[in-house]
């Protein structure tokens, strides 16, 4: 039912009540007939009026929801186009800089303290940012594979990846997944994207912690979701920086001097949102961080 028809229905209901009461008064030969039937007729017309009002309210809410969804879709499409343009614009300058550095290195000092060392590090950082931007754009646009994913297998693999990272062997990395009296339910998702998200979280936990720190990968079932947590006893994040941790290219003040693109958590959130889940993060400086992913079960 379109908007014009709803308005016509409501107008007819509004006009029908006084018309019906007037007709009853005019045509009823007996006042008792009028007294008996006019209230019932009035109630019926008021019910029609109420129904018309409900239809209008439901229609208005639906239009608001459709407009909000359309705005979200347009914003997501624009964001994807921006990431693609940025990736394209950075790619060619990076290639030129790498070639220039290679030519200069043939005649200059290529040692770690040489004049080209700092430039090379910045070029490498830009390359990491470009690569992660490309990944982020792909995550937001690629078709999502839907297969049954065993979370325990993912966490075990992520734990092994963490131990193989530089400095990973110096951290106490453990995996905790309930197996009795029944295992975790599976997820309907893309195993490659979920693996990428967990690798980013474990990588962050290793990078932003010190030797001897504990890193726990754990999972449990809660209200139809599988909850995955990556917790560490590392540096933590300042309270004033927590609201922006999921934003792109944002790095905390304590992350300075540590290699990274500032896109790791944005990648994680993009993966989780594509799977219909949500992300949470809790942290205390000098105590540690817990990142929680809530993913719907199959």
């Amino acid at each position: 039912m379109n908007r014009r028809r709803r308005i016509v229905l409501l107008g007819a209901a509004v006009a029908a009540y006084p018309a019906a009461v007037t007709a009853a008064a005019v045509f009823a030969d007996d006042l008792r007939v009028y007294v008996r039937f006019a209230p019932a007729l009035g109630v019926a017309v008021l019910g029609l009026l109420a129904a018309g009002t409900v239809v209008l309210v439901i229609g208005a809410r639906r239009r608001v929801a459709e407009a909000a969804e359309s705005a979200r879709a347009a914003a997501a499409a624009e964001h994807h186009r921006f990431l693609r343009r940025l990736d394209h614009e950075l790619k060619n300058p990076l290639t030129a800089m790498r070639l220039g550095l290679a030519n200069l290195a043939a005649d200059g000092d290529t040692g770690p303290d040489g004049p080209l060392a700092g430039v090379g590090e910045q070029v490498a950082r830009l390359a990491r940012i470009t690569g992660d931007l490309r990944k982020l754009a792909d995550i937001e646009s690629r078709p999502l594979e839907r297969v049954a994913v065993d979370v325990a297998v993912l966490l075990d693999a992520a734990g092994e990846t963490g131990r193989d990272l530089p400095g990973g062997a110096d951290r106490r990395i453990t995996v905790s997944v309930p197996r009795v009296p029944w295992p975790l339910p599976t997820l309907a998702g893309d195993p490659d994207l979920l693996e990428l998200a967990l690798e980013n979280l474990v990588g962050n936990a290793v990078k932003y912690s010190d030797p001897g720190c504990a890193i726990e990968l754990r999972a449990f079932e809660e209200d139809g979701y599988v909850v995955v947590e990556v917790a560490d006893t590392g540096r933590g994040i300042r309270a004033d920086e927590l609201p922006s941790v999921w934003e792109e290219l944002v790095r905390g003040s304590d992350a300075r001097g540590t290699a990274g693109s500032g896109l790791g958590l944005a990648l994680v959130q993009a993966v989780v949102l594509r799977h219909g889940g949500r992300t949470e993060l809790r942290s205390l400086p000098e105590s540690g961080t817990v990142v929680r992913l809530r993913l719907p079960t199959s």
Side-chain angles (χ1 to χ4, degrees):
M1 184 182 294
N2 59 33
R3 181 180 181 185
R4 181 174 296 177
R5 290 179 62 186
R6 287 195 294 268
I7 293 174
V8 170
L9 175 61
L10 182 59
V14 172
Y17 177 63
V21 173
T22 301
V26 171
F27 294 104
D29 296 330
D30 190 337
L31 183 60
R32 287 174 299 177
V33 174
Y34 169 72
V35 171
R36 179 179 299 175
F37 291 104
L41 183 60
V43 169
V45 174
L46 287 175
L48 182 61
L49 176 61
T53 302
V54 170
V55 169
L56 284 176
V57 170
I58 292 175
R61 288 179 177 175
R62 183 181 296 115
R63 288 194 300 275
V64 170
E66 290 173 351
E69 181 59 31
S70 177
R72 283 193 293 269
E78 179 60 30
H79 182 245
H80 176 68
R81 286 193 293 270
F82 167 74
L83 292 177
R84 287 292 188 187
R85 287 196 302 269
L86 188 58
D87 175 38
H88 177 74
E89 292 298 327
L90 287 174
K91 189 182 302 180
N92 291 336
L94 275 172
T95 301
M97 284 189 286
R98 282 173 166 167
L99 289 174
L101 284 173
N103 293 332
L104 289 172
D107 301 322
D109 183 2
T110 58
D113 299 323
L116 301 181
V119 178
E121 290 175 2
Q122 294 305 312
V123 170
R125 180 171 181 271
L126 284 174
R128 286 194 299 270
I129 292 174
T130 302
D132 284 347
L133 283 171
R134 191 176 303 117
K135 288 180 186 177
L136 185 57
D138 289 341
I139 288 170
E140 294 179 346
S141 61
R142 64 177 277 183
L144 193 67
E145 183 181 4
R146 291 285 186 179
V147 299
V149 178
D150 189 330
V151 177
V153 172
L154 281 181
L155 288 184
D156 286 336
E160 289 300 320
T161 298
R163 296 182 190 99
D164 292 337
L165 291 172
D170 299 326
R171 276 70 170 170
R172 293 178 286 116
I173 301 177
T174 59
V175 177
S176 174
V177 178
R179 303 182 189 275
V180 292
W182 47 76
L184 284 172
T186 59
L187 302 176
D190 190 312
D192 292 335
L193 290 184
L194 292 170
E195 182 179 2
L196 174 66
L198 287 174
E199 286 179 354
N200 272 278
L201 292 180
V202 174
N204 281 349
V206 171
K207 280 194 298 185
Y208 302 118
S209 62
D210 298 320
C213 285
I215 298 172
E216 291 186 1
L217 287 73
R218 53 201 186 218
F220 54 91
E221 185 180 4
E222 182 179 80
D223 299 329
Y225 288 83
V226 170
V227 179
V228 178
E229 292 184 338
V230 178
D232 64 70
T233 57
R235 305 173 197 171
I237 304 169
R238 288 169 31 180
D240 61 326
E241 295 176 345
L242 286 175
S244 60
V245 294
W246 300 106
E247 296 177 11
E248 296 153 9
L249 301 176
V250 171
R251 305 194 73 203
S253 56
D254 292 337
R256 294 169 186 168
T258 304
S261 65
L263 289 165
L265 288 179
L267 286 169
V268 171
Q269 187 173 59
V271 170
V272 174
L273 291 177
R274 286 296 309 274
H275 285 80
R278 66 176 187 265
T279 56
E280 301 171 11
L281 186 146
R282 306 190 309 276
S283 188
L284 287 175
E286 307 303 326
S287 294
T289 300
V290 179
V291 180
R292 170 179 285 200
L293 315 180
R294 288 176 57 85
L295 297 159
T297 58
S298 300

